[in-house]
Amino acid sequence: MNWFGYGRQNTSPRCVIKVDIKKAFDSVNWTFLQTILPLFGFPDKFCNWIITCITSTRFSLNINGSSVGYFEGRRGLRQGDPLSPLLFVLCMEVLSRILRKMQESHNFSYHPKCCRLGLTHLIFADDLLVFARGDYPSIKAVESCLHSFAEYSGLQPNPSKTNIYFGGVHPQVRFLNSVIFGIENFWCASFILPKGVIQEMDRLCRQFLWNYQTGRKMIFFAWSKVCRARQQGGFDIREILSWNKTLLMKLFWKITKGTQSVWVLWCNKYLIQGNDCWTVAPGQATSTIWKALLHTRDEFISQAGSLSNAQNLLRDWSSAGKLMLHKIYPMFHGRHPTLQWTRPLMDPVVMPRHAVITRMAVQNGLPTVDNLIRRGMVMVNRCVLCLADMESIRHLFFTCPYSHDVMQRVLLWLGLTRRPLCLRQELLKLSRYKGKGWRKKWARCCIAAAVYLIWQQRNWRLFDRGSRSVEHLVNQIKYFVSIRLYANVSDSLLEEIVAQMIP
């Protein structure tokens, strides 16, 4: 996959999905084929001939060398029939059009190398390659298309033979959001999870994110901050207890809407019994889940301020038969202020690992020497980069002579002649930057890459893994930024940037 940029360590998020169709020819739904043939413009008489040919199949079994009986087929195309490949191609053309229609979805983003071509997929017979940006909404949009096609055509993807290749994706955060919390959703949507279970799930997620197993590793970034939105300084990871309550409110919303499901009908007949679902109290003999559901309802009313406010909010946050869960979640998780300095780090062009380290640095979440001393570790407080002053976040970014020199050269490369500010002030200045679009992205990439590489250089020196000069580090920053911009800007703008890189 190197020809698509997957071999690089630092590249924009991207993925290729190789889909294998399970028993392709044997799984075609005849009703689906009968529906699509007239839509392709074939005459009715011709369509009837085709359907007669494929639905008149009969099979016999060979037992001990002799044929026994006949039974009729119910679906599929006959292998070896010269007509079958042509009909199968028509079925796959429907999938191709569904995937092309997917481009109009606001959730789907192109693969960085396919955007200019408008390319989403390639199909050869039953071999399918799908190209997309390496983010959860895009992959979810692809999955939705494949599911819809399978439902109508009978052609199901084979999970055991389907592969997905990622590049430029931060593995821990993506896995937490799309896999672990995807499994958790099933339980959160139906039960109130016990506190012990939630604590254990949080512990496992923390261990996975910070990549430690013993539970003794010192962490300087609180889990409560991790679970905040990115614009609030967090990592956009959902807090389990609040999400559990959010999904329980979805169940309560279904009761208020009178959804015609067996569960809602049962609740109305046996638990609510003609009372108002907003005021009904739990009985002594009711289940723990029902009590938890009503307790969650009461908490929602309390957060809304009054019963009428809660009713209005739940009504306003439902649209087209769906409930806006992202509106309800802050009611339980708590509302935190939007931090202005986070805006530059939310730009998709900024490398994820650079954004994570920078976000932690601004909030003093890195294991600097002063943080270690405050936690009782006896160490000599000395910056390993300048070997003079005491090490702290403020010193590293960008008061230390080494990092100050690095940032000064980066600013000159950006065409700025001012002196470097502290990290938070640099990000605030970037959030108010009025330059052209690509120049803004250029500056955002630079500061995040500078923070990441300065922190990496500090660790290398601390653990005797080598040392890089200021000039070497600045050239690395330019290299990282050039890679990121290559996938996000036009050729003419890229040439202009590269021209400015050359001394």
Short mmCIF file of all heavy atoms in Angstrom, two decimals, residues 203-228:
data_model
loop_
_atom_site.label_atom_id
_atom_site.label_comp_id
_atom_site.label_asym_id
_atom_site.label_seq_id
_atom_site.Cartn_x
_atom_site.Cartn_y
_atom_site.Cartn_z
N ARG A 203 -11.46 1.87 33.82
CA ARG A 203 -10.08 1.46 34.08
C ARG A 203 -9.45 0.80 32.86
O ARG A 203 -8.31 1.10 32.48
CB ARG A 203 -10.04 0.49 35.27
CG ARG A 203 -8.63 0.10 35.70
CD ARG A 203 -8.68 -0.95 36.82
NE ARG A 203 -9.22 -2.20 36.33
CZ ARG A 203 -8.49 -3.12 35.69
NH1 ARG A 203 -7.20 -2.91 35.46
NH2 ARG A 203 -9.04 -4.25 35.28
N LEU A 204 -10.20 -0.08 32.20
CA LEU A 204 -9.69 -0.76 31.01
C LEU A 204 -9.44 0.23 29.87
O LEU A 204 -8.45 0.13 29.15
CB LEU A 204 -10.66 -1.85 30.58
CG LEU A 204 -10.82 -3.04 31.53
CD1 LEU A 204 -11.94 -3.95 31.07
CD2 LEU A 204 -9.52 -3.81 31.65
N CYS A 205 -10.36 1.19 29.72
CA CYS A 205 -10.19 2.20 28.66
C CYS A 205 -8.98 3.09 28.94
O CYS A 205 -8.23 3.43 28.02
CB CYS A 205 -11.46 3.05 28.54
SG CYS A 205 -12.88 2.17 27.88
N ARG A 206 -8.78 3.46 30.21
CA ARG A 206 -7.61 4.27 30.56
C ARG A 206 -6.32 3.53 30.27
O ARG A 206 -5.36 4.08 29.73
CB ARG A 206 -7.67 4.66 32.04
CG ARG A 206 -8.68 5.72 32.37
CD ARG A 206 -8.38 6.35 33.73
NE ARG A 206 -8.34 5.36 34.79
CZ ARG A 206 -9.40 5.00 35.51
NH1 ARG A 206 -10.58 5.55 35.26
NH2 ARG A 206 -9.28 4.11 36.46
N GLN A 207 -6.30 2.24 30.65
CA GLN A 207 -5.11 1.44 30.41
C GLN A 207 -4.81 1.33 28.92
O GLN A 207 -3.65 1.38 28.50
CB GLN A 207 -5.28 0.04 31.02
CG GLN A 207 -5.21 0.03 32.54
CD GLN A 207 -5.28 -1.38 33.09
OE1 GLN A 207 -5.46 -2.34 32.34
NE2 GLN A 207 -5.13 -1.51 34.39
N PHE A 208 -5.87 1.15 28.14
CA PHE A 208 -5.66 1.02 26.70
C PHE A 208 -5.16 2.33 26.09
O PHE A 208 -4.23 2.35 25.29
CB PHE A 208 -6.95 0.59 26.01
CG PHE A 208 -6.80 0.41 24.52
CD1 PHE A 208 -6.30 -0.76 24.00
CD2 PHE A 208 -7.15 1.43 23.65
CE1 PHE A 208 -6.14 -0.92 22.63
CE2 PHE A 208 -7.00 1.27 22.27
CZ PHE A 208 -6.50 0.09 21.78
N LEU A 209 -5.78 3.46 26.47
CA LEU A 209 -5.41 4.75 25.90
C LEU A 209 -3.98 5.13 26.24
O LEU A 209 -3.22 5.58 25.39
CB LEU A 209 -6.37 5.83 26.39
CG LEU A 209 -6.11 7.25 25.86
CD1 LEU A 209 -6.25 7.28 24.34
CD2 LEU A 209 -7.04 8.25 26.50
N TRP A 210 -3.60 4.92 27.50
CA TRP A 210 -2.26 5.32 27.93
C TRP A 210 -1.24 4.19 27.78
O TRP A 210 -0.08 4.36 28.14
CB TRP A 210 -2.29 5.79 29.38
CG TRP A 210 -3.22 6.94 29.61
CD1 TRP A 210 -4.26 6.98 30.48
CD2 TRP A 210 -3.21 8.22 28.97
NE1 TRP A 210 -4.90 8.19 30.42
CE2 TRP A 210 -4.28 8.98 29.50
CE3 TRP A 210 -2.40 8.81 28.00
CZ2 TRP A 210 -4.56 10.28 29.10
CZ3 TRP A 210 -2.68 10.11 27.58
CH2 TRP A 210 -3.73 10.82 28.13
N ASN A 211 -1.70 3.04 27.28
CA ASN A 211 -0.80 1.94 26.93
C ASN A 211 -0.02 1.42 28.14
O ASN A 211 1.20 1.29 28.11
CB ASN A 211 0.17 2.38 25.82
CG ASN A 211 0.86 1.19 25.17
OD1 ASN A 211 0.34 0.08 25.19
ND2 ASN A 211 2.03 1.40 24.62
N TYR A 212 -0.72 1.16 29.23
CA TYR A 212 -0.07 0.52 30.38
C TYR A 212 -1.00 -0.56 30.91
O TYR A 212 -2.21 -0.50 30.78
CB TYR A 212 0.28 1.54 31.47
CG TYR A 212 -0.89 2.07 32.26
CD1 TYR A 212 -1.19 1.57 33.52
CD2 TYR A 212 -1.70 3.10 31.76
CE1 TYR A 212 -2.25 2.07 34.26
CE2 TYR A 212 -2.76 3.60 32.49
CZ TYR A 212 -3.03 3.07 33.74
OH TYR A 212 -4.07 3.56 34.46
N GLN A 213 -0.41 -1.59 31.54
CA GLN A 213 -1.16 -2.77 31.96
C GLN A 213 -1.19 -2.97 33.48
O GLN A 213 -2.12 -3.54 34.01
CB GLN A 213 -0.55 -4.03 31.32
CG GLN A 213 -0.55 -4.00 29.80
CD GLN A 213 -1.94 -3.90 29.21
OE1 GLN A 213 -2.88 -4.44 29.76
NE2 GLN A 213 -2.08 -3.18 28.12
N THR A 214 -0.18 -2.51 34.19
CA THR A 214 -0.09 -2.80 35.62
C THR A 214 -0.97 -1.90 36.47
O THR A 214 -1.28 -2.22 37.61
CB THR A 214 1.35 -2.65 36.10
OG1 THR A 214 1.77 -1.28 35.92
CG2 THR A 214 2.29 -3.56 35.31
N GLY A 215 -1.39 -0.75 35.93
CA GLY A 215 -2.17 0.19 36.71
C GLY A 215 -1.33 1.10 37.58
O GLY A 215 -1.86 1.89 38.36
N ARG A 216 0.01 1.00 37.50
CA ARG A 216 0.89 1.79 38.33
C ARG A 216 1.54 2.95 37.59
O ARG A 216 2.28 3.72 38.17
CB ARG A 216 1.99 0.89 38.91
CG ARG A 216 1.44 -0.23 39.80
CD ARG A 216 2.56 -1.12 40.29
NE ARG A 216 2.02 -2.20 41.11
CZ ARG A 216 2.77 -3.19 41.60
NH1 ARG A 216 4.06 -3.23 41.35
NH2 ARG A 216 2.20 -4.13 42.34
N LYS A 217 1.31 3.04 36.32
CA LYS A 217 1.91 4.12 35.56
C LYS A 217 1.31 5.45 35.97
O LYS A 217 0.10 5.56 36.18
CB LYS A 217 1.69 3.90 34.06
CG LYS A 217 2.42 4.89 33.17
CD LYS A 217 2.27 4.51 31.71
CE LYS A 217 3.00 5.49 30.81
NZ LYS A 217 2.87 5.12 29.39
N MET A 218 2.17 6.47 36.10
CA MET A 218 1.71 7.77 36.57
C MET A 218 1.10 8.55 35.40
O MET A 218 1.76 8.77 34.37
CB MET A 218 2.88 8.55 37.17
CG MET A 218 2.47 9.68 38.09
SD MET A 218 3.88 10.35 39.02
CE MET A 218 4.16 9.02 40.16
N ILE A 219 -0.16 8.95 35.53
CA ILE A 219 -0.87 9.67 34.50
C ILE A 219 -1.11 11.10 34.97
O ILE A 219 -1.51 11.33 36.11
CB ILE A 219 -2.22 9.00 34.17
CG1 ILE A 219 -1.98 7.54 33.75
CG2 ILE A 219 -2.96 9.75 33.08
CD1 ILE A 219 -1.12 7.37 32.54
N PHE A 220 -0.86 12.06 34.10
CA PHE A 220 -0.94 13.47 34.47
C PHE A 220 -2.11 14.18 33.80
O PHE A 220 -2.24 15.39 33.91
CB PHE A 220 0.37 14.18 34.10
CG PHE A 220 1.57 13.63 34.82
CD1 PHE A 220 2.27 12.54 34.31
CD2 PHE A 220 1.98 14.16 36.02
CE1 PHE A 220 3.36 12.03 34.98
CE2 PHE A 220 3.07 13.65 36.70
CZ PHE A 220 3.76 12.58 36.18
N PHE A 221 -2.95 13.42 33.10
CA PHE A 221 -4.09 14.01 32.40
C PHE A 221 -5.34 13.29 32.87
O PHE A 221 -5.52 12.10 32.60
CB PHE A 221 -3.92 13.88 30.88
CG PHE A 221 -4.74 14.85 30.10
CD1 PHE A 221 -4.34 16.17 29.94
CD2 PHE A 221 -5.94 14.47 29.51
CE1 PHE A 221 -5.08 17.07 29.22
CE2 PHE A 221 -6.69 15.36 28.78
CZ PHE A 221 -6.25 16.68 28.63
N ALA A 222 -6.19 13.97 33.61
CA ALA A 222 -7.34 13.35 34.25
C ALA A 222 -8.30 12.75 33.22
O ALA A 222 -8.52 13.31 32.15
CB ALA A 222 -8.08 14.37 35.11
N TRP A 223 -8.90 11.60 33.59
CA TRP A 223 -9.85 10.93 32.70
C TRP A 223 -11.07 11.81 32.44
O TRP A 223 -11.68 11.75 31.38
CB TRP A 223 -10.26 9.60 33.29
CG TRP A 223 -11.12 8.78 32.39
CD1 TRP A 223 -12.43 8.48 32.56
CD2 TRP A 223 -10.73 8.15 31.17
NE1 TRP A 223 -12.89 7.70 31.52
CE2 TRP A 223 -11.86 7.49 30.64
CE3 TRP A 223 -9.53 8.08 30.46
CZ2 TRP A 223 -11.83 6.77 29.46
CZ3 TRP A 223 -9.50 7.37 29.27
CH2 TRP A 223 -10.64 6.73 28.79
N SER A 224 -11.44 12.62 33.44
CA SER A 224 -12.57 13.52 33.26
C SER A 224 -12.30 14.53 32.14
O SER A 224 -13.21 14.93 31.41
CB SER A 224 -12.88 14.27 34.56
OG SER A 224 -11.75 15.01 35.00
N LYS A 225 -11.04 14.94 31.98
CA LYS A 225 -10.67 15.84 30.87
C LYS A 225 -10.64 15.09 29.55
O LYS A 225 -11.02 15.64 28.52
CB LYS A 225 -9.31 16.49 31.14
CG LYS A 225 -9.31 17.54 32.23
CD LYS A 225 -7.95 18.22 32.31
CE LYS A 225 -7.95 19.31 33.37
NZ LYS A 225 -6.61 19.96 33.46
N VAL A 226 -10.19 13.84 29.58
CA VAL A 226 -10.16 13.02 28.36
C VAL A 226 -11.56 12.91 27.77
O VAL A 226 -11.76 12.94 26.55
CB VAL A 226 -9.58 11.62 28.66
CG1 VAL A 226 -9.78 10.68 27.47
CG2 VAL A 226 -8.11 11.72 29.01
N CYS A 227 -12.58 12.80 28.64
CA CYS A 227 -13.95 12.58 28.19
C CYS A 227 -14.66 13.86 27.78
O CYS A 227 -15.86 13.82 27.48
CB CYS A 227 -14.75 11.88 29.29
SG CYS A 227 -14.19 10.19 29.62
N ARG A 228 -13.97 14.99 27.77
CA ARG A 228 -14.59 16.22 27.29
C ARG A 228 -14.45 16.32 25.77
O ARG A 228 -13.65 15.63 25.15
CB ARG A 228 -13.94 17.43 27.95
CG ARG A 228 -14.20 17.54 29.44
CD ARG A 228 -13.52 18.76 30.03
NE ARG A 228 -13.65 18.81 31.47
CZ ARG A 228 -13.10 19.72 32.24
NH1 ARG A 228 -12.38 20.70 31.70
NH2 ARG A 228 -13.26 19.69 33.56
#
